[in-house]
Amino acid sequence: DTAVSQTPKYLVTQMGNDKSIKCEQNLGHDTMYWYKQDSKKFLKIMFSYNNKELIINETVPNRFSPKSPDKAHLNLHINSLELGDSAVYFCASSPGGGGAIYEQYFGPGTRLTVT
Amino acid sequence: GNSVTQMEGPVTLSEEAFLTINCTYTATGYPSLFWYVQYPGEGLQLLLKATKADDKGSNKGFEATYRKETTSFHLEKGSVQVSDSAVYFCALRANQGGKLIFGQGTELSVKP
């Protein structure tokens, strides 16, 4: 009955590889997000989708490509992985169209290590 | 642009001590304010929120009041427990797209 789930929980890979992280929410929310948490715990938005449409695209290298097959899923594909991509990636969801009053519900995170 | 600044950690307290973690923000319009907590090895959980000026959010003994005049949302707890040891994030959410803007996080360590 997990609300926001991510797979895998841990991902270790080599530079240059391509990898994907999957996210699913069973809360019926319209909006989903990807955040990156660096080694100093700093969290920053990467992308947001509302009903499968991209609404936020921060300054993120175009090696990162989100895909939302339906409003319950938001996957993150990363091409040509670099050492600096090592971080914890969090998926989140919220009701409504992104209005300020709604809180976001976070997944458990995916720890990506690039060697 | 919008931003959030928290007091730097780590903060180390003894059990039953009083906790304050300062948070100030810069925003246009009327953002909502949140405190999230991240326990070791886990994701973020919403601790409390306030959506307009003078609102007080409270949960699990923690409180924070939305102060528009001082642009602050300080987190307080009267008596901390070892189980409160975690990283605490202050965040704001403006209306433009709904993204959360986080402070840098404050690590709290409570010793028995």
Side-chain angles (χ1 to χ4, degrees):
Chain A
D1 60 344
T2 304
V4 183
S5 58
Q6 294 179 229
T7 53
K9 189 170 174 63
Y10 300 97
L11 183 54
V12 181
T13 188
Q14 291 184 328
M15 283 174 52
N17 285 348
D18 303 338
K19 291 293 178 185
S20 291
I21 306 171
K22 295 187 176 183
C23 177
E24 176 181 2
Q25 54 95 4
N26 62 7
L27 297 166
H29 290 167
D30 294 325
T31 310
M32 296 184 72
Y33 307 81
W34 277 109
Y35 290 86
K36 179 180 179 181
Q37 186 176 45
D38 64 22
S39 59
K40 296 184 179 177
K41 301 282 190 185
F42 186 68
L43 277 151
K44 195 170 190 307
I45 184 76
M46 299 174 69
F47 301 104
S48 174
Y49 271 72
N50 179 255
N51 275 322
K52 303 194 295 176
E53 286 193 29
L54 181 66
I55 56 171
I56 296 175
N57 184 353
E58 293 290 294
T59 309
V60 176
N62 58 15
R63 298 182 294 104
F64 290 77
S65 53
K67 284 188 173 53
S68 182
D70 56 62
K71 76 173 192 177
H73 295 83
L74 181 61
N75 304 323
L76 184 65
H77 188 75
I78 316 171
N79 289 329
S80 304
L81 277 154
E82 301 178 357
L83 292 177
D85 298 332
S86 296
V88 181
Y89 292 84
F90 287 101
C91 178
S93 72
S94 71
I101 65 170
Y102 299 110
E103 64 259 35
Q104 295 180 14
Y105 296 79
F106 283 79
T110 296
R111 182 175 292 277
L112 171 64
T113 303
V114 183
T115 61
Chain B
N2 299 333
S3 65
V4 177
T5 303
Q6 288 179 236
M7 65 186 282
E8 289 204 17
V11 173
T12 303
L13 295 174
S14 297
E15 210 165 18
E16 299 184 4
F18 185 86
L19 169 71
T20 300
I21 301 178
N22 289 337
C23 171
T24 57
Y25 67 90
T26 302
T28 54
Y30 303 94
S32 292
L33 301 173
F34 304 85
W35 277 100
Y36 280 84
V37 59
Q38 185 177 26
Y39 297 103
E42 297 185 14
L44 280 80
Q45 301 174 27
L46 177 68
L47 183 58
L48 53 84
K49 72 174 186 178
T51 58
K52 60 183 188 300
D54 299 326
D55 268 2
K56 178 187 282 189
S58 61
N59 186 25
K60 299 181 181 178
F62 291 89
E63 292 183 343
T65 300
Y66 190 144
R67 301 279 188 210
K68 192 164 171 57
E69 64 275 12
T70 54
T71 61
S72 65
F73 193 54
H74 304 320
L75 183 69
E76 296 181 336
K77 186 175 185 182
S79 176
V80 293
Q81 306 300 312
V82 172
S83 58
D84 293 326
S85 298
V87 180
Y88 292 81
F89 292 92
C90 185
L92 74 80
R93 192 174 184 194
N95 280 316
Q96 302 88 344
K99 66 182 179 183
L100 278 169
I101 296 170
F102 288 91
Q104 69 269 39
T106 301
E107 184 177 358
L108 171 66
S109 177
V110 181
K111 307 295 185 188

